[in-house]
Amino acid sequence: MSENTENTENIEKVARSVHELLNEEKWTRATLNSYTIHNFQELDKTLEEIIRDSAQDAVKEICVEHLHHMKNSIIALYLSGIISLSQQLVDDSHLVTLISIFTDNHKWGIVEFLCQRILEFGENKFALRTLADTYNNENENGKMYEIWERLIRVDYEEAEIVKNLAERKDQQGHREEAVDYYKKALHRFIGKKLFTNIRDIWHKLIDYCPYETEFFYHAEKKIAKIISEDRAVQLLEDLFPCYKKGKQWDTAIAILKRILEYDAKSPWGRKEITECYRQKYAAHSQLEEYIRISNLTQSWRNIHEAIADFEKHIAFDAGNFVFHREWGVGQIKNIKDDIIEIDFVKKRHHKMSLKMAVSALQILGKQHIWVLKSGMSKEKLHHRIKNDIPWALKTVIRSLGNAADMKKIKTELVPAILSAGEWMAWSTNARRVLKEDNNFGNLSDKADYFEVRSQPVSLEEKTLNRFKAEKNFFNRVEIIEDYAFNMKNIEENAESFGEMLEYFTGFIRSFTTVNEQVLSSFLLVAKIIAKYPYLNPGIAINFKTILDQVENIEEIFQKVENANLKKELLLQIRKNSPQWQKLFITLFPHILSRQVLDELISASGEEALRDFFLHIINGYRENRVTFIWLVKNFFSSHWYELLNVKYEKILISSIHLLDISFREIENRKDVSENRKLNKQIHSYLFEDEKRVEKFIATEDEEPVSRVYTLIWDIQSVDDAIKLELRARIHERFPSFKFIGQAEIEVVASRGFYVSASSYEQKQKTLQQIIEVDIPANSKEIGAAIELGDLRENAEYKAAKERQELLNTQVGKLTEELEKAQIIYAKDVDISKICFGTSVTLFNKDNSAEERYTILGPWESDPANLIISYLSPLGNELLNHAKDEELSFEINEHSYNYRVGNISVAEYQ
């Protein structure tokens, strides 16, 4: 009996058993009062059999059909409902109906059991709410409150229960927890536009946490947007007396400014802000004069202009700092009548009128970065900026009006304080601080701009602000992915998450045609719901429906800029499309994944890919990226044999693409893509895999000749590589004809350091060539000449080519020996890293120690940690002393070191 036949029989057996249960229920007409928890536990045993025999779909179909005739069938409702939950389907209507039946009949024990069964599959708003009501009816208040706490984590529209929990915590004396609940309740009541409840909680929070201004401001803005600006003003007016009474004039003034933004003609607001200014600047010699000049108390003057005018004037006081575009930073020495005396760095004791000063000067705070640059020693400021990144960021961002991106921050620090090399490591750490430190936030309208918060901001609020400020769709995808799949307490911050999720569900609800945003939104929301089922927005669309409406899957796939979503799309295509193999082949050039090919081979065998691979190989120019990927990562001799393709063709195509990509780089065409491709091909042919060298070592002379001729004609291939290949060919084919090749001079372009032993070895090599190899070669040429007819004389041509190579080596060695400067160990200076030193480096990225010996190009042996001072790494290390820190980048890899001990290397 086949496995499929056995499975079918098991399903039919289970189906018959369920039919019997349903018929028995119908015939006996069991009353609700006769049902107990035991009955459902017996049904659970039946469910175990159903799942074991993979009969869920068949049984659910039977139950649904039965419910058409007997809508309150307990067995059908229970079996179909639990099966739906086990299949992670959103539809829980059958269980809702079942629970409602027993709730109406006050069978609380069964109601509790059913709710708990639903909750075994994940948090569920209906089940939690019903369970809480059950415990309330049973007077089990402790359990009810526990369920309430779970409910509000998944139902972020529930407000009244949150308020009840806050009041309970308040009564128990848990003030901090009560405040958290009150805040949550306030935001939820704002969403419901219940102002009476909002104001009650607002007053409670003023009593409990009056100085959390960022929270109040955030709520106020939300109220102004959702309810009305008048209501926002009411609440700010309620908040203001707390700060006035506490003589916190800066915050009191800030609140009044917010009120006046909503109601610029408020007489109360004008009067109060004038009084606050009088209190704040009571010691200022020109206070009343500046109030008069700005017309701050005059109702005819625009209040915002009056405030700006007053604040600009009041800043001019002895001891304050100013900036002039020509004279730089200065400090006000004194003010007498209408004349201000200022000491600029470039212009001492300069006097100007107040009117001129107001228009020509910019007021600076004492901690402004420009003031620090002019007044603090460069060494001290450099040390503080480099080692105290949070302080540095706060200083610069506040100096720039409390809004700056990394580009503006760099402008202030480089090169005035930090070098370009220091900036690389510093900026990496700074970005981490800006992301993780709760004293920094993102501007609501500019995702890449940062601000310093007057009060710490939670990671959740920071993430939401960053999401709102970000305009790019796929950048928003990354933000919510990071939040959804890396946050541990998402239930506690469901409001923030729900707001982000709604952005994507909006695309699904309103689409008319499927584009990359609609498709990506569906994939993203589906992934999130799979992890958090209670967040399901009630969208009854499946992937197949979406896929059927896609006009050009290849075009959309290319536009999906998120790698995780691309993988998810392939997974859903595999599960839902009968044409998945055809789609995989179509999409492969845009994903280049071995897993895709392995799945295709597993499903249909290697022959299924034959035509596709031949299409790529024959059209290598048009499919260059896919071709090189396959050659480097997938093809083997087995595949070339299966495709009936000679490897020579693959190699020649690769060499041709090397030339094409180089020429396109020279012509400034798709430079970035061509550089990447060129580098991959070069590595494949000559460096890591050395495919050309292996080809020369294994193939016959004729194909080797064709490949070598192609390489020789490519300008971008280094002459040293060509000579090396030529030598390899000559070793294997001594009579090989090298036709039409000019002499190549490979000489050192400048002087360099060497050890005495290396110098001596090179001298011996040169002597060997001059005294042994060249004379021997001359004899070979003479002997070849004696054979006659030099045009067809292979021995002669081979000897002449050998002569060219030897002469090139002599020229190169002679020039290098002339430029070489011997450094003896006794002359090495260990005060800094230089030729002849061994240095211990502390790797700041992985806390490991690394030790290198620094010598020259002749002694270089990277495998044994001996590096040339002329190499990229050696060049970066040169001239650094012990305890210095250095950061640099080589081939797109960042290095961060602290220099340890420096000693004389062991060399001769």
Side-chain angles (χ1 to χ4, degrees):
M1 182 184 298
S2 70
E3 185 177 343
N4 288 337
T5 303
E6 185 178 352
N7 289 340
T8 302
E9 289 183 357
N10 288 337
I11 291 172
E12 290 175 352
K13 181 180 177 183
V14 171
R16 284 195 298 272
S17 173
V18 171
H19 271 301
E20 290 172 4
L21 283 173
L22 294 172
N23 288 331
E24 183 181 350
E25 179 189 43
K26 183 168 62 175
W27 293 331
T28 58
R29 296 192 179 276
T31 62
L32 288 175
N33 289 331
S34 65
Y35 268 94
T36 65
I37 292 173
H38 177 73
N39 295 119
F40 289 102
Q41 291 172 336
E42 288 298 314
L43 288 176
D44 283 338
K45 293 179 182 178
T46 301
L47 279 166
E48 289 176 6
E49 294 179 17
I50 293 168
I51 293 170
R52 183 194 63 206
D53 293 326
S54 302
Q56 296 98 313
D57 291 338
V59 170
K60 189 164 67 170
E61 187 177 338
I62 292 168
C63 291
V64 170
E65 176 63 27
H66 186 77
L67 288 168
H68 286 155
H69 309 289
M70 190 175 178
K71 65 179 182 179
N72 289 338
S73 166
I74 305 301
I75 294 174
L77 290 170
Y78 186 72
L79 292 180
S80 61
I82 296 297
I83 288 172
S84 293
L85 286 178
S86 69
Q87 293 176 327
Q88 295 186 330
L89 299 178
V90 181
D91 185 11
D92 59 1
S93 57
H94 288 172
L95 287 173
V96 170
T97 301
L98 184 61
I99 289 172
S100 298
I101 291 171
F102 285 101
T103 300
D104 292 343
N105 287 270
H106 305 290
K107 300 279 288 183
W108 304 119
I110 292 178
V111 171
E112 179 183 1
F113 173 84
L114 294 173
C115 289
Q116 294 288 11
R117 278 292 278 136
I118 292 175
L119 295 173
E120 288 175 17
F121 296 92
E123 299 292 65
N124 179 287
K125 287 183 276 190
F126 171 79
L128 288 168
R129 190 176 295 278
T130 304
L131 191 56
D133 292 341
T134 299
Y135 289 141
N136 184 39
N137 287 315
E138 296 289 290
N139 293 318
E140 296 188 66
N141 289 338
K143 289 184 177 180
M144 180 187 71
Y145 282 117
E146 288 177 7
I147 297 300
W148 273 0
E149 289 180 351
R150 288 170 62 183
L151 174 62
I152 65 169
R153 293 193 190 108
V154 299
D155 186 352
Y156 45 85
E157 293 181 357
E158 174 57 55
E160 196 64 45
I161 289 177
V162 182
K163 181 184 176 185
N164 292 339
L165 287 169
E167 290 170 346
R168 183 169 186 258
K169 293 294 182 182
D170 205 355
Q171 292 166 3
Q172 292 174 336
H174 303 310
R175 176 66 57 83
E176 190 174 334
E177 292 179 68
V179 167
D180 286 340
Y181 280 124
Y182 278 128
K183 288 179 180 178
K184 195 183 291 286
L186 179 72
H187 280 295
R188 296 185 180 192
F189 280 125
I190 291 171
K192 293 178 177 293
K193 301 183 181 180
L194 299 175
F195 186 71
T196 301
N197 302 73
I198 293 168
R199 197 168 191 181
D200 288 344
I201 296 174
W202 184 274
H203 288 165
K204 184 75 72 174
L205 291 170
I206 290 175
D207 290 339
Y208 288 170
C209 54
Y211 302 124
E212 293 191 21
T213 53
E214 292 289 351
F215 169 80
F216 287 112
Y217 291 162
H218 178 62
E220 158 247 312
K221 285 190 288 187
K222 207 170 173 183
I223 290 162
K225 182 179 179 181
I226 295 175
I227 303 177
S228 74
E229 292 183 353
D230 289 342
R231 293 302 195 187
V233 168
Q234 278 183 262
L235 297 177
L236 288 173
E237 288 176 348
D238 293 343
L239 179 63
F240 170 73
C242 172
Y243 289 92
K244 182 178 180 181
K245 183 178 180 181
K247 297 182 179 181
Q248 295 189 35
W249 305 118
D250 285 337
T251 307
I253 290 167
I255 292 171
L256 290 168
K257 285 181 178 179
R258 297 178 84 90
I259 291 172
L260 290 167
E261 282 292 332
Y262 295 121
D263 183 8
K265 295 183 178 181
S266 167
W268 175 85
R270 184 183 287 267
K271 174 178 173 295
E272 288 293 343
I273 202 167
T274 303
E275 181 59 30
C276 286
Y277 280 134
R278 283 195 169 103
Q279 295 296 328
K280 178 180 178 179
Y281 297 108
H284 198 291
S285 59
Q286 305 293 315
L287 172 63
E288 292 303 324
E289 176 64 12
Y290 292 161
I291 289 177
R292 183 189 67 78
I293 291 173
S294 64
N295 294 303
L296 190 61
T297 60
Q298 304 303 310
S299 59
W300 57 266
R301 179 82 195 274
N302 179 285
I303 187 63
H304 302 300
E305 294 176 0
I307 289 172
D309 209 3
F310 171 78
E311 290 188 343
K312 190 155 191 178
H313 280 81
I314 202 70
F316 287 94
D317 200 10
N320 287 352
F321 291 91
V322 295
F323 176 81
H324 188 275
R325 63 179 180 273
E326 292 184 14
W327 306 323
V329 174
Q331 187 173 27
I332 300 173
K333 302 308 293 182
N334 62 69
I335 301 176
K336 188 174 183 181
D337 298 327
D338 193 34
I339 301 299
I340 298 178
E341 182 180 343
I342 307 168
D343 273 349
F344 290 103
V345 175
K346 300 178 181 179
K347 199 175 182 71
R348 299 285 179 178
H349 308 298
H350 181 73
K351 294 180 180 180
M352 62 171 61
S353 68
L354 175 62
K355 185 176 181 180
M356 176 66 74
V358 169
S359 63
L361 301 177
Q362 177 183 344
I363 297 297
L364 304 178
K366 292 181 180 179
Q367 291 299 309
H368 195 288
I369 189 65
W370 297 350
V371 174
L372 297 177
K373 285 179 185 178
S374 66
M376 186 183 291
S377 73
K378 187 172 182 178
E379 292 76 15
K380 186 176 180 181
L381 182 58
H382 174 269
H383 183 269
R384 184 80 190 272
I385 292 286
K386 186 174 180 180
N387 295 289
D388 191 346
I389 293 178
W391 174 85
L393 288 169
K394 288 178 183 177
T395 300
V396 176
I397 293 172
R398 283 172 173 157
S399 299
L400 296 172
N402 204 26
D405 60 0
M406 290 302 291
K407 185 176 180 181
K408 289 189 174 184
I409 294 170
K410 182 179 181 180
T411 300
E412 292 299 329
L413 299 181
V414 180
I417 301 172
L418 299 175
S419 68
E422 288 174 322
W423 168 259
M424 290 175 62
W426 190 94
S427 61
T428 299
N429 292 326
R431 290 179 191 278
R432 178 181 50 77
V433 170
L434 289 168
K435 181 179 180 181
E436 298 176 1
D437 193 322
N438 58 9
N439 290 300
F440 299 97
N442 298 86
L443 295 190
S444 59
D445 57 342
K446 293 182 179 179
D448 53 348
Y449 271 66
F450 303 94
E451 64 177 346
V452 181
R453 298 292 293 254
S454 58
Q455 291 171 339
V457 58
S458 67
L459 180 59
E460 295 73 40
E461 185 182 345
K462 181 182 284 194
T463 302
L464 181 59
N465 289 343
R466 189 158 60 95
F467 183 87
K468 288 179 176 179
E470 181 56 66
K471 305 305 178 188
N472 180 276
F473 176 88
F474 287 103
N475 288 347
R476 284 188 163 192
V477 169
E478 287 186 16
I479 292 171
I480 196 172
E481 274 188 330
D482 184 53
Y483 192 98
F485 302 112
N486 295 323
M487 291 284 290
K488 294 181 179 178
N489 58 338
I490 194 170
E491 293 87 355
E492 297 176 10
N493 304 285
E495 288 95 340
S496 299
F497 188 74
E499 196 169 338
M500 291 188 284
L501 187 63
E502 180 58 33
Y503 169 78
F504 297 102
T505 57
F507 283 96
I508 307 171
R509 288 194 178 101
S510 60
F511 79 90
T512 53
T513 58
V514 176
N515 59 18
E516 68 277 8
Q517 293 178 332
V518 171
L519 184 59
S520 297
S521 295
F522 179 86
L523 295 168
L524 178 67
V525 172
K527 277 179 67 179
I528 290 171
I529 292 171
K531 186 171 184 180
Y532 308 104
Y534 57 84
L535 290 174
N536 190 287
I539 297 172
I541 302 173
N542 57 42
F543 178 78
K544 192 174 184 306
T545 303
I546 293 279
L547 187 62
D548 288 344
Q549 297 184 52
V550 173
E551 294 181 2
N552 188 330
I553 188 66
E554 186 175 10
E555 181 181 334
I556 288 181
F557 191 84
Q558 290 180 74
K559 292 180 179 178
V560 174
E561 298 173 13
N562 182 280
N564 292 330
L565 291 183
K566 282 189 171 183
K567 291 177 183 177
E568 184 66 21
L569 176 54
L570 289 173
L571 179 64
Q572 293 302 327
I573 288 173
R574 178 72 170 85
K575 287 182 178 179
N576 295 281
S577 175
Q579 300 294 319
W580 71 268
Q581 291 159 295
K582 182 179 178 182
L583 291 175
F584 267 35
I585 289 175
T586 300
L587 298 178
F588 175 74
H590 311 293
I591 190 72
L592 297 178
S593 164
R594 189 180 188 95
Q595 183 180 351
V596 170
L597 299 179
D598 289 343
E599 286 211 39
L600 286 167
I601 294 168
S602 176
S604 305
E606 294 177 338
E607 280 293 331
L609 291 172
R610 178 183 172 81
D611 290 343
F612 172 65
F613 285 160
L614 287 174
H615 167 73
I616 297 297
I617 291 170
N618 293 327
Y620 69 92
R621 292 191 189 190
E622 297 76 20
N623 304 289
R624 60 184 72 177
V625 174
T626 306
F627 173 80
I628 292 301
W629 188 91
L630 288 169
V631 167
K632 283 176 61 68
N633 301 284
F634 191 77
F635 285 158
S636 62
S637 56
H638 163 73
W639 274 104
Y640 296 134
E641 184 177 342
L642 181 67
L643 297 171
N644 195 25
V645 171
K646 290 183 178 180
Y647 183 66
E648 179 190 351
K649 180 177 180 177
I650 300 296
L651 211 55
I652 288 174
S653 298
S654 301
I655 294 166
H656 192 197
L657 287 178
L658 183 73
D659 190 37
I660 291 173
S661 58
F662 173 74
R663 293 178 188 277
E664 290 188 357
I665 293 168
E666 292 283 285
N667 294 326
R668 312 303 298 169
K669 180 181 178 181
D670 299 329
V671 174
S672 179
E673 294 82 354
N674 276 306
R675 276 183 179 159
K676 182 178 179 182
L677 184 66
N678 189 275
K679 184 177 179 181
Q680 290 175 349
I681 301 171
H682 198 279
S683 172
Y684 175 76
L685 295 175
F686 307 118
E687 296 172 11
D688 297 338
E689 300 186 46
K690 296 186 176 180
R691 290 293 181 152
V692 174
E693 192 173 313
K694 292 175 182 176
F695 185 82
I696 291 170
T698 58
E699 296 296 325
D700 294 334
E701 185 173 346
E702 188 175 341
V704 167
S705 177
R706 287 193 290 266
V707 167
Y708 177 74
T709 302
L710 276 176
I711 293 171
W712 188 264
D713 290 336
I714 296 178
Q715 182 183 350
S716 62
V717 178
D718 189 88
D719 290 338
I721 292 174
K722 294 176 181 177
L723 286 172
E724 180 65 26
L725 294 177
R726 183 176 171 181
R728 293 284 176 269
I729 294 171
H730 189 269
E731 286 175 6
R732 186 150 184 261
F733 307 108
S735 60
F736 191 89
K737 300 176 183 179
F738 295 97
I739 300 173
Q741 299 170 1
E743 181 181 3
I744 299 172
E745 294 183 352
V746 182
V747 296
S749 61
R750 55 195 172 102
F752 58 97
Y753 301 137
V754 299
S755 66
S757 60
S758 293
Y759 188 90
E760 183 179 351
Q761 183 60 44
K762 291 291 183 181
Q763 281 184 317
K764 289 180 180 178
T765 301
L766 178 59
Q767 187 177 6
Q768 167 73 21
I769 294 172
I770 294 172
E771 297 179 2
V772 178
D773 296 339
I774 289 180
N777 177 250
S778 296
K779 288 181 181 179
E780 290 174 3
I781 293 174
I785 290 174
E786 291 178 359
L787 295 175
D789 194 0
L790 301 184
R791 288 175 299 175
E792 299 297 325
N793 191 326
E795 288 80 3
Y796 174 78
K797 290 178 180 178
K800 285 295 287 182
E801 286 168 357
R802 170 70 171 160
Q803 184 184 59
E804 289 177 12
L805 181 60
L806 291 171
N807 288 335
T808 298
Q809 289 179 303
V810 168
K812 180 175 181 290
L813 281 171
T814 301
E815 186 171 359
E816 286 181 348
L817 286 166
E818 288 175 353
K819 293 176 178 291
Q821 180 180 342
I822 298 173
I823 302 295
Y824 296 96
K826 62 183 180 62
D827 299 324
V828 172
D829 177 10
I830 61 171
S831 64
K832 57 186 178 181
I833 301 172
C834 61
F835 180 98
T837 59
S838 286
V839 59
T840 300
L841 300 175
F842 179 78
N843 190 319
K844 296 193 291 182
D845 294 328
N846 58 20
S847 300
E849 282 192 354
E850 301 173 13
R851 187 163 182 83
Y852 295 99
T853 296
I854 314 299
L855 293 172
W858 286 353
E859 299 85 8
S860 178
D861 185 6
N864 291 309
L865 302 180
I866 300 173
I867 60 174
S868 168
Y869 73 95
L870 294 175
S871 68
L873 177 58
N875 189 52
E876 291 288 351
L877 298 178
L878 280 187
N879 298 319
H880 287 283
K882 184 179 180 181
D883 295 329
E884 282 191 35
E885 296 188 351
L886 52 153
S887 299
F888 49 90
E889 186 172 306
I890 298 174
N891 294 332
E892 302 179 349
H893 178 75
S894 296
Y895 297 83
N896 298 287
Y897 290 122
R898 185 178 70 248
V899 179
N901 290 329
I902 302 172
S903 60
V904 177
E906 295 181 5
Y907 74 100
Q908 294 181 342

